[in-house]
Amino acid sequence: MRLLRTPDDRFENLPGFDFPERYAEIDSPETGIVRIGYVEAGPADGPVVLLLHGEPSWSYLYRKMLPVLADAGLRAIAPDLVGFGRSDKPADVADHTYAAHVEWMRAFAFDALDLRDVTLVGQDWGGLIGLRLVAEHPERFAGVVPANTGLPTGDDGMPDVWWSFHDAVEKAQVLDIGRFVQSGCVTKLTDEERAAYDAPFPNEMYKAGPRAMPSLVPTTPDDPATEANRAARAALGKSSIPMLVAFSDSDPITAGMRPVLERLPGAEGREHPTITDAGHFLQEDGGPALASEIASFVRSR
């Protein structure tokens, strides 16, 4: 597997993102050694919150939330998915599979960092990957916060707006990452913020990850990931791990997934917040509010 690594100078002077970069190496027989970049804030002995981003963003998405979580005494860790941010980038779209991304994050969280009693926060693909980790390794988790995400199996259709995004990524000769992030936000990003989302991708060669992700979402019952996602749904349907479902009020892509999550045992009997005036990337539109909800959720346990 051929890996690309974004030059360090692409990440200099990004607005609002002065967290020291950290790296962890993972190794597997299938993919070899892969370096994963991440940032961290808060006390090293605080309760762990693992913040997983989605498509086509990176840990920069959590810059407004990390200080709030740290001030609440939490150890907030935001890795970049493989193919995104400071993490290594497999150069071939075919190197990206749903199973590989689950394994890469499993190895990062449990093998490299040995995280325990984790509260998962997963948005978009961060939830598709993170909810699988919770279902398959429940002993590692103390709580779950799905935010604008779900576990699709292909048994139910995806909304038209998602297919529009899927087709736009598939057809784009030049993938404008900053524009796609802006399209999922209610607030207007500055030119510098849009450039920060573009920073991990110096040219089209580096964008195999963002190009691959829409096609990896299970949209038919015979998708390669369907059985694993069905098994994960079944496991979560029996799990008592506390869950806080924190969706935004303006995301047509994932709104239909919220009721499914709120019916899970871990979510029962809890008041689930709605982050107002926020789109698909609710971390960008309402990051401090979401972070406050997460901190209260962790403290309540």
Side-chain angles (χ1 to χ4, degrees):
M1 186 172 66
R2 184 166 66 96
L3 296 173
L4 302 175
R5 186 168 291 175
T6 303
D8 291 341
D9 61 7
R10 296 279 300 182
F11 300 103
E12 293 178 356
N13 302 317
L14 300 183
F17 199 65
D18 56 356
F19 306 96
E21 68 271 20
R22 300 168 184 252
Y23 298 97
E25 287 192 344
I26 59 174
D27 193 4
S28 74
E30 292 79 14
T31 61
I33 295 176
V34 178
R35 191 179 78 165
I36 293 180
Y38 68 104
V39 293
E40 182 173 327
D45 60 350
V48 175
V49 178
L50 180 64
L51 306 159
L52 299 187
H53 70 85
E55 155 82 353
S57 63
W58 59 293
S59 58
Y60 183 75
L61 184 66
Y62 284 103
R63 70 193 183 283
K64 299 176 183 179
M65 297 177 57
L66 288 163
V68 178
L69 297 171
D71 288 346
L74 309 181
R75 181 189 178 193
I77 300 170
D80 297 322
L81 299 182
V82 172
F84 298 80
R86 291 189 176 96
S87 292
D88 284 345
K89 297 170 180 65
D92 191 336
V93 169
D95 290 330
H96 295 267
T97 67
Y98 197 148
H101 278 279
V102 172
E103 171 56 21
W104 284 324
M105 280 297 103
R106 185 210 64 79
F108 166 78
F110 306 148
D111 295 347
L113 269 60
D114 193 27
L115 302 179
R116 299 176 185 275
D117 296 323
V118 177
T119 295
L120 169 81
V121 178
Q123 179 262 342
D124 189 84
W125 263 101
L128 271 72
I129 294 167
L131 290 171
R132 282 274 297 274
L133 294 179
V134 174
E136 295 167 10
H137 306 277
E139 72 284 355
R140 292 280 186 158
F141 290 92
V144 193
V145 184
N148 290 358
T149 193
L151 268 179
T153 61
D155 297 312
D156 304 306
M158 298 294 287
D160 290 344
V161 66
W162 181 86
W163 279 110
S164 295
F165 170 75
H166 172 279
D167 294 347
V169 171
E170 187 176 70
K171 296 173 182 176
Q173 289 187 333
V174 176
L175 201 60
D176 189 337
I177 301 297
R179 182 175 70 84
F180 278 118
V181 174
Q182 176 64 85
S183 69
C185 296
V186 171
T187 54
K188 182 174 175 53
L189 302 177
T190 66
D191 291 344
E192 292 76 15
E193 289 169 333
R194 285 181 60 153
Y197 282 111
D198 292 328
F201 311 105
N203 57 51
E204 296 306 299
M205 289 193 307
Y206 289 77
K207 299 177 184 177
R211 286 193 178 276
M213 292 310 241
S215 66
L216 301 183
V217 176
T219 58
T220 60
D222 59 350
D223 187 275
T226 290
E227 288 304 318
N229 276 17
R230 283 180 182 154
R233 279 193 178 192
L236 292 173
K238 301 174 183 176
S239 173
S240 60
I241 297 174
M243 179 177 291
L244 182 74
V245 182
F247 276 45
S248 68
D249 62 351
S250 301
D251 181 24
I253 294 177
T254 63
M257 300 177 181
R258 179 172 188 161
V260 176
L261 295 166
E262 290 184 346
R263 289 194 293 267
L264 293 173
E268 290 181 352
R270 195 179 306 278
E271 184 175 346
H272 300 284
T274 296
I275 307 303
T276 58
D277 301 318
H280 182 63
F281 296 105
L282 72 173
Q283 305 98 316
E284 191 67 61
D285 292 325
L290 176 59
S292 294
E293 295 286 356
I294 294 165
S296 295
F297 175 59
V298 174
R299 284 197 299 264
S300 73
R301 305 196 311 271

